[in-house]
Amino acid sequence: MAQDISKKALALHKELGGKVRMEPAMKVRTRDELSLIYTPGVAAVSTFVAKNPRLARDYTMKGKMVAVISDGSAVLGLGNIGPLGALPVMEGKCALFKSFGNVDAFPIVLDTQDPKEIIETIIRIAPGFGGINLEDFAAPNCFEIEDALKAKLDIPVMHDDQHGTAIAVLAALMNAAKVVNKKFSSLSVVVSGAGAAGTAISKLLVQAGIEDIVVLDSKGIINLVRKNLTPHKKELAKMTNRRGLHGGLEEALADADVLIGVSGPGLLGAKQIKLMAQKAIVFAMANPVPEIMPEEAAKGGAMVIGTGRSDYPNQINNSLVFPGVFRGALDNRVTKITDKMKLQAAKNLAALVPNPTALKIVPGPFEKGIAEAVAKAIK
Amino acid sequence: MAQDISKKALALHKELGGKVRMEPAMKVRTRDELSLIYTPGVAAVSTFVAKNPRLARDYTMKGKMVAVISDGSAVLGLGNIGPLGALPVMEGKCALFKSFGNVDAFPIVLDTQDPKEIIETIIRIAPGFGGINLEDFAAPNCFEIEDALKAKLDIPVMHDDQHGTAIAVLAALMNAAKVVNKKFSSLSVVVSGAGAAGTAISKLLVQAGIEDIVVLDSKGIINLVRKNLTPHKKELAKMTNRRGLHGGLEEALADADVLIGVSGPGLLGAKQIKLMAQKAIVFAMANPVPEIMPEEAAKGGAMVIGTGRSDYPNQINNSLVFPGVFRGALDNRVTKITDKMKLQAAKNLAALVPNPTALKIVPGPFEKGIAEAVAKAIK
């Protein structure tokens, strides 16, 4: 099955010869059109835009074009496979941007993995774009890169592996709490993985009012006692783990209501799920192979189970989020994606499933109105 | 008239909201398509391309996408109006790439005019592209930038203001020589302007076998006696002006067969044209206002007159050239555009007008087969 998809995907990509095309808004067919689209007419537009830079969004692609940028340092679950390896994913993402959100997006892959070089390069190519979607940058560089770009650019910048994922998880968790009939803010949550996604999820859950969050990296529970924590993990240590736990996954899972896996394949089995509280919620989001397969999680007693996969119920994927976020940001000329917007986006996304069940806590990717609902939050 | 075009162009650009769109090669409409275009299927493509970088052209946009890049330092005849001012021109250029050559091209404008920064930025964003079209970079930086990128990248790099223009001029001059019945290599040529276009035209004419070329900049005839010449002008001084002329435009024009103006508006009148040899050829290419208006050049006795304008006969414009150059480069996976290719491209372009007349030395921009003819030379 998986091999079959791989074969088919390779054949399709070769047939298509890449997944993005540039199409002019108007083909040039006559001398009159040529004189308006290009010289001499374009000179008036260039002069006008140079004098009125704020109106560039009305007269150029800056009003609609998002750059989807990667350095290939953390591509899907494949790791650091470099810019060319990242390119098919970025092209696919651009195809989803247009298909789901009618957003024009263009892939750019970088021949550097140095944060300083990445930051200065993106700033230098930014003038023509209306937004920057960072993608598949590894932690911890991704934090530094996103922070610097947000501070220096006047267009929205979002590292989707962080915030797209966090918004989707928050929406799913809001509905899952309803299904298991537990109070959202009282949920005890374990986040396995302190990379880009785990960090952003943890922070957004704190913003959303959840007080009991325990985060683990490959060395175990993150707490203030641990030495040599990187800056972003130190920040996590300060804002999570109020019970001061230490140890590993089993210690963290004892009586927990929620496990959010954003780490790696096959991390745990039914035995560990049994340590959790009754009516446990398990989001096992490593892709394509989750931390625990849904069948196994159910065996352990989990009541609501989500993954990143399209072949199981409850696909919690950032493709529910990023097209709407940038649709809204472009339409409303938003310059920063704030925490408030992210929380509202999650609420709007959750509200698309008014009567959630164990098998349906988020809308399917092809349901109507998803991007529109998310876009309404970004203003 | 000109004001009317400006007004219309502004209105059209606002209506369109920019001139380029990203279209996916395949819209994503079903779960199966999603699993091939994006995860999990795309993982196989990413893995394959990362392991076989040379095959990236078959599986990604690298096989078809050209970056059209500018720093806005020399936009049309408008001067240094910066990246946002350059953007409408770059978008227009991309529209022509697709309309004339079926080439996918994407505009990128740079927030830096430092050659070192420009070079490193373009190298860093190059992996996803199959070619780089540099546009509206001012001399002399344009020479350093193009040379460095050619040396460091394994995809074709062309500064179109130089080489696109030079190829179009050479083609036009080949046919003009037939019209005036003079031997091409014996033509005595004056090039007014030693910027990007003037330099490239002079060099290509030397390659094409013309021995008597005199180049002028704003200070007069370029010769080896002049002090403080920039490196590219010193190079021009060495390869041109075999008769050792000095002085200004009138000294240069005495008995010359050809005047190629790539300098600025209204440089000369009929009186100066009368200094030239019988059956003079005048290409007055400053845009939109040429060095001399065609009516005035005719009054001075010029027999063949070309401009960059679409409202006079003999529009000598690089739009005849760049779509075909990159079409050929992509189709034949050429890594460098060589002088030999440029000479052949000019020959192929000239051959599209088998029986040239004073009013027709180059094909009109909308004639069929132009890009194809040029593309055949790039292999």
Side-chain angles (χ1 to χ4, degrees):
Chain A
M1 169 72 177
Q3 248 193 333
D4 186 47
I5 288 185
S6 295
K7 247 191 189 169
K8 273 193 193 169
L10 274 165
L12 177 66
H13 281 73
K14 189 161 185 184
E15 186 196 325
L16 295 174
K19 289 173 290 195
V20 300
R21 304 285 185 270
M22 193 292 296
E23 288 299 335
M26 186 175 127
K27 278 223 177 179
V28 185
R29 293 198 180 89
T30 67
R31 240 172 231 278
D32 278 355
E33 287 172 0
L34 184 58
S35 72
L36 294 176
I37 291 287
Y38 205 54
T39 54
V42 75
V45 185
S46 284
T47 306
F48 181 81
V49 168
K51 280 189 191 151
N52 305 280
R54 288 188 178 190
L55 297 178
R57 286 167 186 264
D58 292 325
Y59 291 84
T60 73
M61 74 172 189
K62 190 172 180 69
K64 47 168 61 72
M65 191 64 71
V66 172
V68 175
I69 305 181
S70 182
D71 69 348
S73 57
V75 179
L76 305 175
L78 305 169
N80 187 350
I81 59 170
L84 280 179
L87 188 51
V89 180
M90 302 310 126
E91 292 185 19
K93 184 124 195 175
C94 291
L96 301 194
F97 258 118
K98 193 81 184 222
S99 300
F100 291 153
N102 197 27
V103 171
D104 291 277
F106 189 82
I108 292 178
V109 291
L110 301 176
D111 193 15
T112 173
Q113 295 187 342
D114 175 87
K116 193 184 138 285
E117 291 184 2
I118 290 168
I119 293 163
E120 68 187 18
T121 299
I122 294 175
I123 289 172
R124 288 177 196 154
I125 65 170
F129 294 101
I132 307 279
N133 181 115
L134 302 172
E135 195 73 21
D136 291 359
F137 285 88
N141 285 352
C142 63
F143 306 115
E144 177 188 347
I145 293 165
E146 193 194 36
D147 286 348
L149 292 175
K150 278 181 169 172
K152 288 182 185 166
L153 292 174
D154 62 352
I155 52 173
V157 176
M158 181 170 95
H159 182 211
D160 188 47
D161 307 88
Q162 289 184 64
H163 311 294
T165 310
I167 292 168
V169 164
L170 175 55
L173 191 57
M174 285 170 170
N175 281 344
K178 287 191 198 173
V179 173
V180 300
N181 200 22
K182 295 185 186 179
K183 191 179 167 198
F184 178 78
S185 61
S186 306
L187 290 172
S188 148
V189 179
V190 175
V191 178
S192 170
T199 302
I201 290 167
S202 302
K203 286 184 175 179
L204 194 61
L205 292 184
V206 169
Q207 291 293 320
I210 293 189
E211 292 183 358
D212 185 2
I213 303 175
V214 178
V215 188
L216 299 99
D217 63 9
S218 57
K219 291 178 185 149
I221 293 172
I222 293 178
N223 56 37
L224 286 166
V225 180
R226 275 179 54 184
K227 301 249 159 80
N228 303 321
L229 288 176
T230 57
H232 84 277
K233 286 185 185 172
K234 200 171 276 177
E235 205 190 333
L236 281 177
K238 284 182 193 160
M239 65 199 297
T240 64
N241 197 4
R242 296 214 174 165
R243 289 180 281 141
L245 297 186
H246 44 94
L249 191 55
E250 301 204 343
E251 286 79 1
L253 283 178
D255 281 322
D257 297 305
V258 182
L259 167 62
I260 298 168
V262 278
S263 42
L267 200 69
L268 72 168
K271 192 182 139 212
Q272 282 79 28
I273 302 298
K274 283 184 184 149
L275 301 170
M276 296 177 71
Q278 293 290 307
K279 301 191 286 178
I281 298 165
V282 174
F283 298 163
M285 317 231 321
N287 219 339
V289 183
E291 284 78 2
I292 180 170
M293 291 303 284
E295 296 84 351
E296 185 77 6
K299 221 181 280 175
M303 185 168 172
V304 181
I305 302 163
T307 70
R309 292 168 63 123
S310 58
D311 51 353
Y312 284 95
N314 297 330
Q315 185 183 12
I316 305 167
N317 192 283
N318 46 13
S319 69
L320 298 170
V321 176
F322 64 78
V325 167
F326 279 96
R327 180 74 273 148
L330 290 168
D331 289 349
N332 301 312
R333 307 212 164 169
V334 160
T335 57
K336 299 255 184 284
I337 312 295
T338 65
D339 283 348
K340 207 176 145 194
M341 293 176 195
K342 288 183 233 164
L343 292 172
Q344 189 61 48
K347 280 181 199 165
N348 292 6
L349 185 57
L352 291 174
V353 185
N355 299 302
T357 66
L359 297 180
K360 171 118 183 174
I361 52 172
V362 285
F366 293 98
E367 290 181 34
K368 297 279 171 211
I370 298 174
E372 291 79 355
V374 171
K376 274 189 196 140
I378 313 298
K379 63 180 179 192
Chain B
M1 169 74 178
Q3 249 193 330
D4 186 47
I5 287 184
S6 295
K7 247 192 187 168
K8 274 194 194 167
L10 275 165
L12 177 65
H13 281 73
K14 188 161 186 184
E15 186 196 325
L16 294 174
K19 288 173 290 196
V20 300
R21 304 284 185 272
M22 193 291 297
E23 288 299 335
M26 185 175 128
K27 277 222 177 179
V28 185
R29 293 201 180 86
T30 67
R31 242 172 229 280
D32 278 355
E33 286 172 0
L34 184 59
S35 71
L36 295 176
I37 291 286
Y38 205 55
T39 54
V42 74
V45 185
S46 284
T47 307
F48 181 81
V49 167
K51 280 190 189 150
N52 304 280
R54 286 186 178 194
L55 298 179
R57 286 166 185 265
D58 292 325
Y59 291 84
T60 73
M61 73 170 190
K62 192 173 179 68
K64 46 170 58 72
M65 191 64 71
V66 172
V68 175
I69 305 181
S70 182
D71 68 349
S73 58
V75 179
L76 307 173
L78 305 170
N80 187 349
I81 59 170
L84 281 180
L87 188 52
V89 180
M90 301 311 126
E91 292 185 21
K93 184 125 195 175
C94 291
L96 301 193
F97 259 118
K98 193 79 183 224
S99 299
F100 291 153
N102 197 27
V103 171
D104 291 276
F106 189 82
I108 292 178
V109 290
L110 301 177
D111 192 16
T112 172
Q113 295 187 343
D114 175 87
K116 194 184 137 283
E117 291 185 2
I118 290 168
I119 292 162
E120 68 189 17
T121 299
I122 295 175
I123 289 171
R124 288 177 196 155
I125 64 170
F129 293 102
I132 307 279
N133 182 115
L134 303 172
E135 195 73 21
D136 291 359
F137 286 88
N141 285 353
C142 63
F143 305 115
E144 178 188 346
I145 294 166
E146 192 194 38
D147 286 349
L149 292 174
K150 278 181 169 172
K152 288 181 186 167
L153 292 174
D154 62 351
I155 53 174
V157 177
M158 180 169 95
H159 182 210
D160 188 48
D161 306 88
Q162 289 185 64
H163 310 295
T165 309
I167 292 168
V169 164
L170 175 55
L173 191 56
M174 286 170 168
N175 281 343
K178 286 192 199 172
V179 173
V180 300
N181 201 23
K182 295 184 186 180
K183 192 178 166 197
F184 178 80
S185 62
S186 306
L187 291 172
S188 149
V189 178
V190 175
V191 178
S192 169
T199 302
I201 290 167
S202 303
K203 285 184 175 178
L204 195 61
L205 293 184
V206 170
Q207 291 293 320
I210 293 189
E211 293 183 357
D212 185 1
I213 303 175
V214 177
V215 188
L216 298 99
D217 64 9
S218 58
K219 292 178 183 151
I221 293 171
I222 294 178
N223 56 40
L224 286 166
V225 180
R226 274 178 54 184
K227 302 247 158 79
N228 302 322
L229 289 175
T230 57
H232 83 277
K233 287 185 185 172
K234 201 171 273 177
E235 206 189 333
L236 281 177
K238 283 182 193 159
M239 65 199 296
T240 64
N241 197 3
R242 298 215 173 161
R243 288 179 284 142
L245 296 186
H246 45 94
L249 191 55
E250 302 204 344
E251 286 79 1
L253 283 178
D255 282 323
D257 297 305
V258 182
L259 167 62
I260 297 168
V262 279
S263 40
L267 200 70
L268 73 169
K271 191 181 139 212
Q272 283 79 29
I273 301 298
K274 283 183 182 152
L275 302 170
M276 296 178 70
Q278 292 291 308
K279 301 191 287 179
I281 298 166
V282 174
F283 298 164
M285 316 228 325
N287 219 339
V289 183
E291 285 78 1
I292 180 170
M293 290 304 284
E295 296 84 350
E296 185 77 5
K299 220 180 282 175
M303 184 170 174
V304 182
I305 302 163
T307 69
R309 292 169 64 123
S310 58
D311 51 353
Y312 285 94
N314 297 330
Q315 185 182 12
I316 305 167
N317 192 284
N318 46 14
S319 69
L320 297 170
V321 176
F322 65 78
V325 166
F326 279 95
R327 180 74 275 148
L330 290 168
D331 288 348
N332 301 311
R333 307 213 164 170
V334 161
T335 57
K336 299 255 185 281
I337 313 294
T338 64
D339 283 348
K340 206 177 147 193
M341 293 174 195
K342 287 183 234 164
L343 291 172
Q344 189 61 49
K347 280 181 198 165
N348 293 6
L349 185 57
L352 291 174
V353 184
N355 299 303
T357 66
L359 296 181
K360 171 118 184 174
I361 52 172
V362 284
F366 293 98
E367 289 181 34
K368 297 277 170 212
I370 298 174
E372 292 78 356
V374 171
K376 274 189 195 141
I378 313 298
K379 61 180 181 191

